[in-house]
């Protein structure tokens, strides 16, 4: 259709498009006009490669037998989606109701567990795919067998049930909240056009073929083709912030065939067919056809003898979740529910599991191996006596404390506390933690992928500079510019031949005349439309697809030249003296990433002068305008200031010159083959010898403190990528002005690639460049990331200091994140503020949403919600550091706590004939992991290794966190060695020092164990907090009280004797002193970086 080829019905109904006739109607609306949907086969596009249209449950860890079982279950009970092209036939007659439509219902569904009956299965699967929980489930079940039972049954079952109950309750509550939000969205009332007038209809009941009436500020409920608007020209504006992230308004046009009808009701009297291709991801492309099948339309005076077929393009579409920004409109629904562009570009949120949790899961497997080895040694040294297999299993159960179930509880409590502190941080007000399971991942980020508009920038363009060759104006000299403009309108007369203002004496043009020429060029050469809240109001707001165009028009208004009115064919300017100049718009040549320029031909009604204005990037315009000795230098100066520059040129055309050009253009547009190239060639024929008028510079205002924040993150070793839907020139300017690209760094651009071999050659050139930022557009990105070049692109891009991806669709953004994770295996964070960023945010290990002008969709879908970009530095550098370091230390100490009591048990069993008998039972075993050690151990979450000032003054400290050294196999085995030493010393010294009181071995070793753990906690603390001291004191008091109230476990008389006290102190000293000396030597000889700074 883009090439002017019209397809007849037969060409759409061959083997590629098998037809299926479906009649749609509504039980509540018997007067609905008939609709036939003709569909063909399509693909599912779920992205998991299984052909079922649903993301794989096993993604992100787990999988195995349970994952394969789930895949089979959903394959039986859940029908995968299939996408079809369709032809919607509109007729005046009524039809019967058909409820067997294969098209999806128009509902929003963000529930995590759909269908609902999968809830319990999926939740339990997500829990038991972790070795921790599966291990304790098997241990608990083993206690139901009498021969394997050791101790009390509740000590094994109760903790597991408690942990699972909390998880299931939390997941159920979260999914219920999502269901409530979905219900609210699906019950939103819209109005459908029927023969009985406008009938209210909930969003969930809207079907393909419905004619939906929209008012200003209505959110579009389904993908539609715009049939009519309240504007006579058929033009309207939409806000696409929740789709592509751009807050500027986008122009849309109604089909000319339907816009010409006398009224909206005439739509119900026409016979026509609307063809639409099958749903796809690309939000920047659409191909369709509208055919009037009956020229005699009742109630309409329109003659369709010459306009019975019209091509439908992106300009005629209203995608779901866009907002009608002006006027009213009527659209025909073509895609609903899961087939809409918005739904296809939104991935379902996966359950995020932190890297620290996965590392702990791996350590649990190592601990299990250690348990088996230790148990086997006990049986082997004992001589494999009797039923040694049962003894082996009993020893495994006896040493089950080596894998402490309290580890998950402690870590989850710590995460909840970290989240609470982030929420309550006064220095980042408004921050909300929405996923409390991954705060420690903030301390491990290697790649930060950021949106541009509304994230790095405010999307507020401000005029900064205007250079006219002989004079330059800025904000400081705007009064001088305004005065020159007024004098130009008072004294200048426009020449019809030269396109400039000749002075009255016929000499060289003055500053005033030059200023007037330039300001009129700025006020006329654009695609801006003025809008008013009320008809006839003097208060004007401007709307355009490009915010820098709005900035220039607002600037001309501020100095006296106002864009008063504009429609598709005319434009009116208001001069400083209140006079109105009217222009006919003859042709508009819109800006494209290929041409990098925009032109317009206007005819001034008063003088009949035909003027061709053009503006564009300096690299293009410098070849079009007449040579100048100042253009290159001034463009360089403005670029160094981070300004977005535009070069303006003009040319006055004679009637004959314009007529000749129009004939060439019309001939080019009538061509079937290579139409676009021939049209561009016709336009280029008049792009010669343009007079250089002006050079403008506008600034896209950055968010507060963006530059220092980006610098701090780079110093912290975080590589930053910008993923935006904006064009290359805009994104590059922002990258420079925000210091994402350093002054000494180069920029290599890959754009307009339409072949994989060209993509390879670009990548091959770039990988040989050093210290260079990569800029790539969306079309080129597709070829770089598809097929054999994906790995090469990942290799060269991840090695670059920074990367800017432009014209990215939401799916491409998410794919970039997944590529980085797949290739590097490192932690990623994504940050954005629009609905188009949701997929990217959910794909990253950590998703950060900003509450901004583009709404709350990104912040609601993110793991962390903030109010501005600068908060990211505190979130990562301070809270991320503390959360990770604390969780790593807490987790390893809890493991140590289980190891030390297990090694005491091992020594005890070895000394007593390798009997599988528990040394501690009942209350002692339960109390050890709760009342006697929980408070001191958990108080480690209050510890900080560096002060806040040092963390921000030296962000390089963050690089150590990225290496994961706080929790590694090295640190883990250090804790194992410490546990073996201390556990063995406690048991052996108890036997040696109390050889006359062996029957008191339980109270002796248990007291030494508790005191040793309290001392160990003290050794681990870097910065003391009053609550840490309180936890230690309270624990000692609780233990002494329990000695008095639990005579069945403790002999009070024996324990208050002087001999007991000094011998216990000796045991504690021997267990703790070597550990302290080792730490002291390490700090002195091999100090960590942060200790040097302290």
């Amino acid at each position: 259709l883009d090439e002017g080829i019209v397809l007849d019905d037969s060409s759409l109904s061959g083997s590629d498009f098998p037809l299926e006739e479906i009649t749609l109607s509504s039980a509540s609306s018997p007067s609905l006009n008939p609709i036939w949907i003709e569909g063909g086969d399509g693909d599912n596009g779920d992205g998991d490669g299984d052909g079922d249209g649903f993301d794989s449950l096993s993604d992100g860890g787990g999988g195995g037998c349970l994952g394969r079982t789930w895949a089979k279950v959903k394959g039986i009970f859940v029908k995968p989606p299939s996408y079809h092209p369709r032809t919607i036939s509109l007729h005046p007659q009524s039809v019967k109701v058909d409820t067997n439509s294969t098209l999806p219902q128009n509902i929003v569904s963000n529930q995590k567990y759909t269908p609902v009956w999968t809830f319990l299965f999926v939740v339990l699967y997500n829990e038991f795919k972790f070795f921790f929980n599966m291990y304790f489930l098997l241990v608990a079940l083993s206690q139901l067998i009498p021969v394997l039972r050791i101790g009390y049954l509740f000590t094994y079952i109760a903790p597991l049930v408690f942990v699972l109950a909390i998880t299931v309750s939390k997941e159920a509550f979260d999914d219920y909240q999502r269901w409530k939000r979905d219900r609210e969205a699906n019950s939103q009332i819209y109005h459908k056009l029927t023969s009985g007038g406008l009938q209210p209809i909930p969003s969930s009941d809207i079907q393909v073929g419905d004619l939906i009436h929209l008012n200003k500020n209505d959110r579009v409920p389904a993908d539609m083709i715009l049939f009519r608007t309240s504007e006579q020209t058929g033009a309207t504006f939409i806000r696409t912030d929740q789709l592509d992230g751009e807050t500027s308004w986008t122009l849309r046009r109604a089909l000319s065939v339907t816009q010409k009808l006398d009224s909206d009701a005439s739509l119900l009297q026409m016979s026509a067919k609307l063809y639409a291709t099958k749903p796809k991801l690309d939000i920047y492309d659409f191909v369709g056809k509208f055919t009037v099948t009956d020229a005699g339309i009742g109630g309409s005076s329109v003659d369709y003898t010459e306009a019975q077929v019209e091509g439908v393009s992106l300009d005629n579409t209203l995608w779901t979740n866009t907002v009608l920004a002006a006027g009213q409109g009527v659209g025909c629904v073509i895609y609903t529910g899961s087939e809409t562009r918005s739904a296809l570009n939104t991935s379902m949120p996966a359950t995020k599991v932190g890297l620290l949790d996965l590392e702990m899961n791996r350590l649990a497997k190592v601990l299990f191996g250690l348990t088996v080895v230790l148990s086997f040694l006990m049986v082997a040294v004992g001589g494999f006596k009797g039923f040694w297999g049962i003894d082996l299993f009993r020893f495994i159960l006896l040493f089950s404390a080596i894998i402490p179930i309290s580890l998950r509880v402690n870590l989850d409590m710590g995460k909840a506390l970290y989240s609470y502190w982030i929420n309550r941080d006064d220095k980042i007000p408004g921050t909300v933690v929405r996923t409390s399971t991954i705060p420690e991942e903030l301390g491990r980020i290697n790649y930060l992928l950021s949106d541009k508009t509304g994230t790095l920038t405010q999307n507020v363009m401000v005029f900064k500079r205007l250079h006219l060759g002989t004079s330059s104006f800025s904000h400081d000299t705007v009064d001088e510019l305004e005065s020159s403009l007024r004098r130009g309108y008072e004294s200048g007369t426009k020449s019809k031949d030269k396109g400039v203002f000749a002075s009255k004496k016929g000499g060289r043009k003055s500053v005033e005349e030059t200023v007037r020429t330039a300001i009129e060029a700025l006020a006329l050469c654009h695609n801006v439309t003025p809008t008013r809240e009320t008809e006839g109001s003097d208060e004007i707001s401007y709307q355009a697809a490009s915010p820098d165009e709005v900035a220039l028009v607002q600037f001309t208004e501020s100095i006296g030249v106002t864009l008063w009115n504009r429609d598709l064919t005319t434009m009116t300017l208001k001069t400083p003296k209140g006079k109105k100049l009217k222009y006919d718009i003859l042709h508009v040549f819109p800006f494209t990433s290929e041409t990098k320029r925009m032109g317009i031909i206007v005819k001034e009604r008063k003088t009949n002068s035909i003027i061709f204005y053009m503006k564009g990037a300096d690299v293009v315009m410098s070849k079009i305008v007449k040579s100048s000795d100042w253009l290159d230098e001034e463009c360089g100066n403005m670029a160094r200031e981070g300004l977005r520059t535009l070069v303006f040129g003009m040319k006055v055309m004679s009637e004959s010159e314009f007529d000749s050009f129009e004939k060439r253009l019309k001939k080019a547009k009538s061509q079937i083959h290579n139409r676009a190239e021939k049209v561009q060639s016709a336009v280029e024929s008049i792009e010669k010898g343009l007079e250089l008028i002006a050079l403008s510079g506008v600034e896209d205002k950055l968010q507060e403190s963006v530059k220092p924040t980006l610098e701090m993150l780079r110093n912290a070793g975080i590589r930053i990528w910008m993923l935006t839907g904006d064009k290359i020139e805009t994104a590059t300017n922002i990258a420079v002005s925000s210091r994402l690209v350093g002054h000494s760094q180069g920029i290599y651009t890959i754009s307009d690639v339409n072949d994989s071999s060209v993509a390879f050659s670009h990548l091959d050139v770039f990988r040989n460049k050093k210290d260079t930022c990569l800029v790539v557009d969306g079309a080129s990105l597709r070829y770089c990331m598809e097929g054999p070049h994906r790995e090469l692109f990942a290799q060269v891009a991840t090695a670059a200091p920074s990367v800017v991806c432009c014209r990215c669709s939401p799916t491409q953004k998410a794919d970039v994140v997944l590529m980085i994770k797949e290739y590097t295996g490192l932690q990623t964070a994504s940050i954005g503020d629009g609905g188009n960023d949701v997929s990217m945010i959910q794909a990253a290990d950590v998703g950060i949403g900003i509450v901004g002008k583009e709404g709350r969709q990104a912040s609601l879908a993110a793991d962390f919600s903030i109010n501005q970009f600068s908060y990211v530095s505190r979130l990562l550098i301070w809270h991320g550091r503390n959360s990770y370091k604390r969780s790593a230390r807490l987790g390893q100490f809890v493991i140590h706590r289980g190891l030390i009591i297990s090694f005491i048990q091992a020594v005890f069993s070895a000394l007593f004939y390798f009997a599988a008998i528990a040394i501690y039972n009942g209350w002692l075993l339960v109390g050890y992991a709760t009342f006697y050690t929980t408070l001191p151990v958990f108080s480690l979450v209050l510890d900080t290794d560096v002060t806040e000032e040092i963390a921000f003054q030296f962000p390089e400290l963050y690089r150590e966190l990225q290496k994961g050294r706080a929790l590694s196999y090295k640190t883990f085995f250090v804790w194992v060695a410490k546990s073996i030493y201390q556990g063995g010393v406690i048991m052996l010294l108890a036997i040696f020092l109390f050889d006359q009181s062996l029957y008191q071995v339980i109270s002796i070793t248990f007291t030494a164990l508790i005191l040793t753990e309290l001392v160990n906690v003290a050794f681990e603390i870097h910065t003391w907090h009053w609550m840490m001291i309180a936890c230690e004191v309270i624990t000692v008091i609780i233990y002494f009280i329990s000695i008095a109230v639990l005579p069945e476990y403790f002999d009070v008389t024996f324990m208050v004797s002087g001999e007991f006290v000094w011998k216990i102190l000796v045991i504690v000293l021997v267990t703790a002193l070597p550990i302290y000396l080792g730490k002291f030597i390490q700090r002195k000889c091999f100090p960590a970086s942060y200790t040097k700074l302290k």
Side-chain angles (χ1 to χ4, degrees), residues 705-724:
S705 303
V706 162
K707 293 181 183 179
T709 300
L710 290 176
E711 182 179 1
M712 180 179 293
L713 295 177
R714 278 200 304 270
N715 291 337
I718 299 173
R719 295 181 183 268
I720 304 168
W721 291 33
M722 181 198 297
L723 309 181
T724 176

Side-chain angles (χ1 to χ4, degrees), residues 10 24 67 100-101 250 257 332 415 444 455 526 531 551 560 598 669 688 718 728 742 794 829 963 1033 1037 1040:
S10 61
L24 298 182
N100 297 321
S101 172
T250 302
V257 174
C332 179
K415 292 174 182 182
R444 308 282 294 277
T455 303
H526 52 69
T531 60
M598 177 265 172
K669 287 184 175 181
K688 299 176 182 177
I718 299 173
I728 283 184
K963 298 174 183 177
V1033 173
I1037 293 174
F1040 285 151

Side-chain angles (χ1 to χ4, degrees), residues 646-675:
L646 284 173
V647 178
F648 287 80
M650 68 169 287
K651 177 181 183 180
V652 174
M653 302 177 68
S654 64
E655 290 282 354
S656 60
E657 185 179 4
F658 174 75
D659 290 342
S660 175
F661 162 72
E662 195 164 41
K663 289 178 182 177
R664 292 194 301 273
L665 184 63
K666 187 175 182 179
K667 182 179 179 181
K669 287 184 175 181
S670 66
Q671 299 299 308
I672 294 179
H673 302 290
N674 302 320
R675 190 207 316 172

Side-chain angles (χ1 to χ4, degrees), residues 241-256:
D241 50 344
Q242 296 300 330
L243 191 65
D244 62 8
E246 298 303 312
T247 55
S248 53
W249 290 9
T250 302
L251 179 66
R252 287 292 183 259
R253 304 174 190 272
L255 296 177
S256 60

Side-chain angles (χ1 to χ4, degrees), residues 241-242 434 451 455 830-842 847-852 854-866:
D241 50 344
Q242 296 300 330
R434 302 194 187 279
D451 179 38
T455 303
S830 295
I831 180 171
D833 69 321
N836 66 311
D837 301 316
V838 169
S839 295
M840 171 180 72
I841 286 172
Q842 292 177 342
I848 305 172
I850 296 180
V851 180
E854 299 185 20
R856 297 176 58 86
Q857 190 171 350
S859 67
L860 290 174
D863 304 308
F864 301 88
S865 172
I866 59 178

Side-chain angles (χ1 to χ4, degrees), residues 373-576:
V373 170
L374 185 59
S375 301
F376 183 80
L377 286 176
M378 298 299 292
V379 174
V381 176
F384 296 104
K385 297 176 182 178
F387 297 101
W388 64 268
I390 295 178
D391 289 338
L392 175 64
F393 205 90
R394 283 174 61 85
F395 271 119
I396 291 175
L397 298 176
L398 200 61
F399 298 144
S400 62
I402 288 179
I403 309 177
I405 193 171
S406 59
L407 178 60
R408 284 291 303 274
V409 177
N410 277 273
L411 289 177
D412 289 346
M413 289 172 58
K415 292 174 182 182
L417 196 57
Y418 309 148
S419 301
Y420 173 78
W421 285 331
I422 294 173
N423 289 335
R424 296 296 296 272
D425 191 341
D426 293 335
K427 295 183 180 179
I428 47 174
T431 300
V432 178
V433 179
R434 302 194 187 279
T435 305
S436 60
T437 57
I438 57 171
E440 70 280 350
E441 299 308 303
L442 294 169
R444 308 282 294 277
I445 301 303
N446 293 88
Y447 287 88
L448 177 65
L449 299 99
S450 173
D451 179 38
K452 177 188 73 68
T453 307
T455 303
L456 296 178
T457 72
Q458 300 179 32
N459 202 31
V460 176
M461 304 295 172
V462 178
F463 168 81
K464 284 292 185 180
R465 196 177 301 279
L466 182 66
H467 200 283
L468 306 181
T470 57
S471 54
S472 180
F473 301 93
S474 64
H475 270 301
D476 299 331
T477 57
V478 69
D479 293 338
E480 179 184 344
L481 180 65
E482 187 174 354
S483 299
S484 298
L485 180 64
R486 288 182 178 275
R487 292 195 297 271
Y489 274 102
E490 291 171 358
S491 61
T493 56
K494 196 164 189 178
S495 168
K496 294 183 181 179
D497 334 316
K498 300 181 180 179
V500 296
F501 293 95
S503 65
K504 292 180 180 179
K505 298 180 181 179
R508 186 178 179 181
K509 59 181 180 290
S510 64
V511 173
E512 291 82 2
E513 295 159 347
T514 304
V515 167
R516 178 178 172 182
T517 304
I519 298 304
E520 284 193 351
L522 267 64
L524 290 169
C525 188
H526 52 69
N527 272 314
V528 180
T529 301
T531 60
R532 294 172 173 82
E533 288 293 329
T534 57
E535 193 69 28
S537 172
D538 288 341
E539 295 185 7
I540 302 175
S541 60
Y542 300 104
Q543 302 301 334
S546 176
D548 53 355
E549 287 195 324
V550 174
L552 292 175
V553 172
Q554 288 175 335
F555 165 67
T556 63
E557 180 187 23
S558 69
I559 59 175
V561 177
T562 304
L563 177 61
W564 190 253
N565 187 46
R566 178 174 182 162
D567 54 35
L568 294 179
T569 58
T570 63
M571 196 184 313
T572 304
L573 299 183
K574 185 178 179 182
T575 68

Side-chain angles (χ1 to χ4, degrees), residues 758-1008:
V758 178
F760 174 78
S761 62
H762 276 292
L763 296 175
D764 192 47
V765 171
F766 178 73
R767 67 175 166 183
N768 296 319
K769 293 184 176 292
K770 305 296 183 184
D771 200 25
T772 302
C773 170
L774 176 63
V775 178
V776 57
D777 67 3
S780 305
L781 185 65
R782 189 184 71 175
Y783 287 101
C784 290
M785 294 185 63
E786 287 181 354
H789 306 319
R790 183 181 179 90
E791 185 173 349
L792 175 61
F793 176 73
Q795 177 187 344
V796 300
T798 54
S802 57
V803 177
V804 178
C805 299
C806 315
R807 289 297 184 191
C808 285
S809 68
T811 302
Q812 280 183 313
K813 289 184 177 184
D815 196 24
V816 169
V817 176
L818 295 174
M819 179 202 70
I820 295 175
K821 292 169 62 177
E822 174 189 339
Y823 180 77
T824 66
L826 301 175
Q827 296 299 95
T828 60
S830 295
I831 180 171
D833 69 321
N836 66 311
D837 301 316
V838 169
S839 295
M840 171 180 72
I841 286 172
Q842 292 177 342
D845 297 295
V846 176
I848 305 172
I850 296 180
V851 180
K853 294 181 179 179
E854 299 185 20
R856 297 176 58 86
Q857 190 171 350
S859 67
L860 290 174
D863 304 308
F864 301 88
S865 172
I866 59 178
N867 285 342
Q868 61 186 56
F869 182 81
S870 61
Y871 290 177
V872 173
S873 59
R874 185 170 181 84
L875 203 60
L876 270 58
I877 303 298
W878 179 241
H879 288 291
R881 178 184 188 84
N882 288 337
S883 299
Y884 170 60
K885 298 277 280 191
R886 290 165 174 171
S887 286
R889 190 178 296 113
L890 176 63
Q892 291 177 112
F893 202 101
V894 173
I895 290 175
H896 158 76
R897 186 175 63 184
L899 283 169
I900 190 173
I901 194 173
S902 296
F903 283 117
I904 290 176
Q905 174 68 59
V907 176
F908 172 80
S909 295
L911 292 175
F912 291 90
Y913 309 103
F914 299 97
I917 301 173
I919 183 174
Y920 307 123
N921 273 316
W923 172 255
L924 293 185
L925 198 59
V926 175
Y928 172 70
T930 54
F931 297 99
Y932 299 146
T933 58
T934 292
L935 287 179
V937 172
F938 191 71
S939 69
L940 290 173
V941 300
L942 300 170
D943 191 26
T944 54
D945 58 349
V946 297
T947 62
E948 187 176 322
E949 291 74 20
I950 289 178
F952 288 112
Q953 187 177 356
F954 300 98
E956 292 80 5
L957 291 173
Y958 191 86
R959 296 173 185 262
E960 293 185 357
L961 306 181
Q962 294 172 327
K963 298 174 183 177
R965 291 178 176 174
L967 177 63
S968 63
Y969 284 114
K970 177 183 176 180
T971 60
F972 167 72
F973 284 112
V974 168
W975 278 101
V976 171
K978 187 188 302 184
S979 303
I980 294 174
Y981 168 76
Q982 291 185 328
V985 165
I986 289 174
M987 193 68 220
L988 293 174
L989 279 182
I991 299 296
F992 177 76
L993 293 176
F994 294 91
D995 58 333
Q996 302 299 321
S997 308
L998 291 180
Y999 64 92
Q1000 301 286 359
V1001 68
I1002 293 177
S1003 57
I1004 295 168
T1005 56
F1006 196 77
T1007 302

